[in-house]
């Protein structure tokens, strides 16, 4: 599920003396991803690559955000409509370079004034604070253009920042166009820029395609502005890691690990215990409260919320699920569920959408629930399916019970009252209601309502066919064991003879009702 970018409630990260426009470059095919999915739509801990970039720019409170789309344009547009409908997608039909892309974007917002921030769409680790600092430095200096740079251990494949003898920006050069000396530089262009829109428009009209790629490079704007005597600047990112882009699936996996470590460290510093950070994956859209404990091999995804003091894991996946304070979810899978305070789930449980556990409720081992409300203190301890159901407070559902909710066309609802006790191996054929304080006998198929306080017995009469094994399975281990047992009981050998009478059970339907008819906890 895509995470929507909600309007930020925080104060702007920088002062805003003039209007701002954000342009995100998301038109590239990403051939090295070898995927039918556009590169910017590949997911990474709760957001797409593009979603992470938009989130980094969101606190700027830009007046308008333009996303340049190209390869897979319809897919990208659909994604933007889902997560950031206020953005303006602009089509770059032919990918003729970053300069061409920005010119198309600005043509779509002719009214834009002030500062234009340009960001590549594949830098998911970029922090909002870094974008804000770039804009603040650019506007404070009154620069015509400012580039975000970073010092990296291996600059292979990246554009280089070339400075003059005074340390000022002289040129931004792509690696394929760089000299051997320039390729030795480790200060790189991060692909993130701030421009004065008036001077940017003028420079874009002067770009040429006289380069190895035959494209209009946005980076050439800096040389044009510098030659015209306009001030250009470099702002360095505090950590080169957040400027890393993504070109193939190996790099995507590396970025995922880096983001995992950042997210986990952040939660641990707020008072969350993560017992094995290397096997714990938490989406950026998840909320975890203080003193929660996240055990190993756990994935928290989507809009999941884990409450104070809750225990999640090991071996657990939660998607869009709320876990209340003090609750525990162990070796289980939950999607769109709600686990109330001090409730218990697992091990080996599956909570499907609209499963709701109230305070101190329990869903135990090998239990599946769907669209089910389980009241305070009620328990479904073992080997059961509860679908389209409401269970009241402090009731107990016997082992191996099935809520039979589907007639082949429609789903129907089952209601179990409060303080009810249902037997093991029960079938509740919906629609049906079991009243408060009622009991149902083990092995029953409940097809009619059970009044409050009643005991429902709905099972066939038991018949014992004496001597059947000795007659029909002679020579088997079962027949030998039965023969020994008969001899031990009578003290003499008494083989069964053909025509021996059959003794049947009591005449009462369902046989005697006893304490074994309702499952214990």
């Amino acid at each position: 599920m895509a995470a929507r970018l909600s309007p930020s409630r925080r104060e702007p990260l920088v002062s805003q003396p003039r209007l701002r426009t954000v342009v995100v470059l998301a038109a590239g095919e990403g051939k090295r991803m070898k995927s039918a999915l556009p590169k910017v739509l590949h997911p990474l801990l709760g957001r797409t690559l593009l979603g992470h970039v938009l989130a980094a720019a969101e606190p700027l409170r830009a007046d308008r955000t333009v996303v340049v789309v190209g390869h897979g344009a319809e897919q990208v547009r659909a994604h933007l409509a889902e997560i950031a409908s206020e953005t303006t997608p602009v089509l770059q039909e032919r990918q003729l370079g970053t300069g061409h892309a920005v010119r198309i974007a600005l043509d779509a917002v002719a009214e834009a004034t002030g500062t234009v921030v340009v960001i590549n769409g594949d830098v998911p680790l970029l922090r909002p604070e870094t974008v804000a600092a770039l804009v603040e430095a650019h506007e404070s200096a009154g620069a015509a253009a400012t580039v975000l740079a970073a010092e990296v251990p291996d600059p292979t494949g990246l554009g280089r920042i070339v400075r003059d003898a005074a340390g000022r920006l002289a040129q931004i050069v792509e690696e394929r166009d760089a000299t051997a000396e320039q390729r030795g530089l480790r200060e790189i262009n991060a692909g993130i820029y701030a421009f004065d829109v008036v001077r940017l428009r003028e420079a874009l009209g002067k770009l040429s395609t006289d380069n190895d790629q035959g494209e209009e490079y946005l980076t050439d704007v800096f040389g044009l502005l510098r030659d015209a005597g306009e001030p250009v600047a470099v702002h360095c990112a505090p950590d080169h890691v957040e400027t890393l882009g993504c070109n193939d699936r190996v790099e995507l996996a590396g970025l995922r690990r880096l983001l995992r470590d950042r997210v986990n460290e952040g939660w641990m510093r707020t008072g969350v215990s993560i017992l094995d950070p290397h096997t714990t994956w938490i989406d950026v859209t998840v909320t975890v409260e203080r003193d929660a404990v996240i055990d190993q091999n756990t994935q928290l995804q989507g809009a999941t919320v884990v409450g104070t003091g809750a225990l999640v894991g090991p071996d657990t996946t939660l998607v869009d699920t709320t876990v209340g304070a003090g609750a525990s979810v162990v070796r289980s899978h939950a999607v769109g569920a709600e686990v109330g305070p001090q409730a218990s789930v697992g091990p080996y449980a599956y909570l499907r959408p609209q499963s709701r556990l109230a305070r101190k409720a329990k869903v135990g081992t090998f239990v599946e629930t769907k669209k089910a409300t389980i009241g305070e203190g009620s328990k479904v301890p073992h080997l059961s399916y509860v679908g389209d159901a409401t269970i009241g407070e402090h009731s107990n559902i016997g082992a191996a019970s099935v809520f039979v909710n589907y007639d082949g066309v429609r789903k129907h609802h089952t209601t179990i009252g409060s303080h009810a006790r249902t037997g093991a191996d029960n079938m509740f054929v919906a629609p049906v209601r079991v009243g408060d304080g009622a009991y149902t006998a083990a092995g029953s198929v409940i097809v009619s309502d059970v009044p409050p306080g009643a005991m429902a017995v709905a099972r066939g009469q038991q018949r014992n066919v004496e001597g059947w094994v000795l007659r029909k399975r002679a020579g088997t281990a079962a027949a030998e064991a039965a023969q020994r047992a008969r001899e031990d009981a009578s003290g003499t050998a008494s083989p069964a003879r053909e025509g021996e009478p059959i003794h049947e059970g009591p005449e009462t339907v369902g046989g005697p009702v006893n304490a074994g008819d309702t499952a214990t906890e």
Side-chain angles (χ1 to χ4, degrees), residues 330-341:
V330 177
R331 289 193 169 90
S332 296
H333 190 104
V335 180
E338 183 177 322
V339 180

Side-chain angles (χ1 to χ4, degrees), residues 82-98:
E82 183 179 357
I83 70 163
S85 57
E86 69 283 358
T87 60
T88 301
V90 174
L91 178 63
Q92 185 186 26
E93 292 186 9
R94 297 175 60 201
Q95 278 71 70
L96 300 177
T98 52

